[in-house]
Amino acid sequence: MRRPSSHSRSLAGSLARFLSSAAVTAVLAAGLGGCQTMSDITGSLTSSSSSSSSKAPAVPEDPRRAVEVYGERYRANPKDAEAALGYGQALRATGQRAQAAAVLEQATIAHSGNKALLAAYGRALADNGNSQAAFDVLSRAHSPANPDWRILSVQGTTLDKMAKHEEARRYYATALKIVPEEPSVLSNLGLSYMLTRELPQAEETLRRAHSNPRADGRVRQNLALVVGLQGRFAEAETIAKGDLPADEATANVAYLREMLSRKDKDNSRPPGKQATVPVAALNRPD
């Protein structure tokens, strides 16, 4: 068998040090979201859950505009569960995650049995890195008798953040029993394997996700990243480009190169110094 090149050995050593960093692992896992979107757990922003919703103005798909519309409704009546839910989701979508968590926390206090609010609050806590609290809240958002695969998948990501990878994978497995080959769950599972440096297994899982017609661009990016981490840079670039328009393909490849470059630069840092940007930042937040 051919001996690994010095570059490959350097790459493997750099990857091992990079992924073993507790700080990097925490941020890396924070990106685990697969293909989830603003409505990943709690349903569409325009869903109706109260009789007053028929009188509400139509909510635009633009999350910034949704913040304005739902924010106005929420300020007019903070006890309106639908307004709080929509406002919290829109705040998350625009990156205002601390405010989203605060709004949803108050809503769950006022509506302690509302499963949709609990799910959204748990997701907001996960966004903010409060992994244990997020897991606990999400556990209240559904029951074993009526499991929600989306919540199970997010619970898996919170467990990955806490380095409970085997337990996390059990949650992904349960979710996949409900929705076999769901690409967002497979993407989370693939990144879980990447966290434990099981790169061939991560690649195999992400290829399954990527082969699904419902997979979005982030699955492609995650797969390209894992392939690149194994030293197959030309193949990683081909995957990152895919059949995208030229401008998107160029942007994806540039981002892939940037992440892999930052990983390589970590290899040249003095002992004790660690990179602050994780390679899995390709898995962009929802």
Side-chain angles (χ1 to χ4, degrees):
M1 184 174 66
R2 187 180 64 179
R3 293 182 60 190
S5 66
S6 59
H7 177 75
S8 296
R9 291 194 298 271
S10 173
L11 176 70
S14 174
L15 175 61
R17 283 186 291 275
F18 196 84
L19 291 183
S20 64
S21 160
V24 168
T25 298
V27 182
L28 178 64
L32 294 173
C35 304
Q36 293 148 357
T37 65
M38 185 163 55
S39 59
D40 52 354
I41 294 175
T42 52
S44 170
L45 282 173
T46 57
S47 62
S48 298
S49 61
S50 66
S51 59
S52 62
S53 62
S54 60
K55 301 177 183 179
V59 179
E61 292 187 5
D62 179 0
R64 292 176 181 80
R65 179 63 183 139
V67 167
E68 297 176 7
V69 172
Y70 272 118
E72 183 178 347
R73 286 181 57 189
Y74 176 75
R75 286 186 289 274
N77 180 13
K79 294 188 181 298
D80 182 339
E82 183 184 12
L85 177 60
Y87 190 32
Q89 288 181 296
L91 288 168
R92 280 187 59 221
T94 55
Q96 302 176 69
R97 296 183 169 186
Q99 187 176 352
V103 167
L104 292 165
E105 179 182 22
Q106 292 304 310
T108 57
I109 291 172
H111 305 276
S112 59
N114 189 310
K115 303 293 188 182
L117 284 172
L118 286 168
Y121 179 41
R123 187 65 178 91
L125 288 170
D127 288 342
N128 289 303
N130 299 325
S131 302
Q132 185 61 63
F135 182 85
D136 294 341
V137 170
L138 289 168
S139 296
R140 294 162 50 201
H142 70 156
S143 64
N146 187 27
D148 185 321
W149 67 267
R150 298 173 183 83
I151 295 177
L152 289 165
S153 187
V154 178
Q155 284 181 294
T157 68
T158 64
L159 290 165
D160 269 322
K161 291 181 191 180
M162 294 185 284
K164 298 179 179 180
H165 305 299
E166 291 301 323
E167 188 175 354
R169 290 164 198 171
R170 288 196 290 272
Y171 276 77
Y172 299 138
T174 301
L176 288 169
K177 289 179 181 178
I178 301 171
V179 282
E181 299 302 299
E182 165 57 40
S184 64
V185 181
L186 287 172
S187 184
N188 285 344
L189 176 59
L191 289 181
S192 179
Y193 285 124
M194 189 173 74
L195 283 170
T196 54
R197 292 166 282 182
E198 298 173 75
L199 297 182
Q201 185 73 9
E203 179 183 345
E204 188 276 332
T205 304
L206 286 164
R207 284 193 183 279
R208 285 168 56 196
H210 184 248
S211 68
N212 192 305
R214 292 183 289 107
D216 77 359
R218 284 172 289 189
V219 175
R220 180 204 308 272
Q221 293 163 345
N222 292 338
L223 175 58
L225 176 63
V226 167
V227 170
L229 287 171
Q230 296 176 82
R232 292 161 23 223
F233 305 111
E235 182 182 353
E237 288 193 7
T238 299
I239 294 169
K241 291 178 181 177
D243 55 358
L244 297 174
D247 56 343
E248 290 185 35
T250 299
N252 277 5
V253 170
Y255 204 89
L256 174 65
R257 287 176 174 171
E258 179 187 359
M259 291 298 100
L260 292 173
S261 174
R262 289 179 179 178
K263 182 270 302 172
D264 283 333
K265 286 178 182 177
D266 187 57
N267 192 39
S268 62
R269 292 172 183 266
K273 296 292 185 179
Q274 297 163 342
T276 57
V277 179
V279 290
L282 277 172
N283 195 33
R284 296 166 188 163
D286 37 322

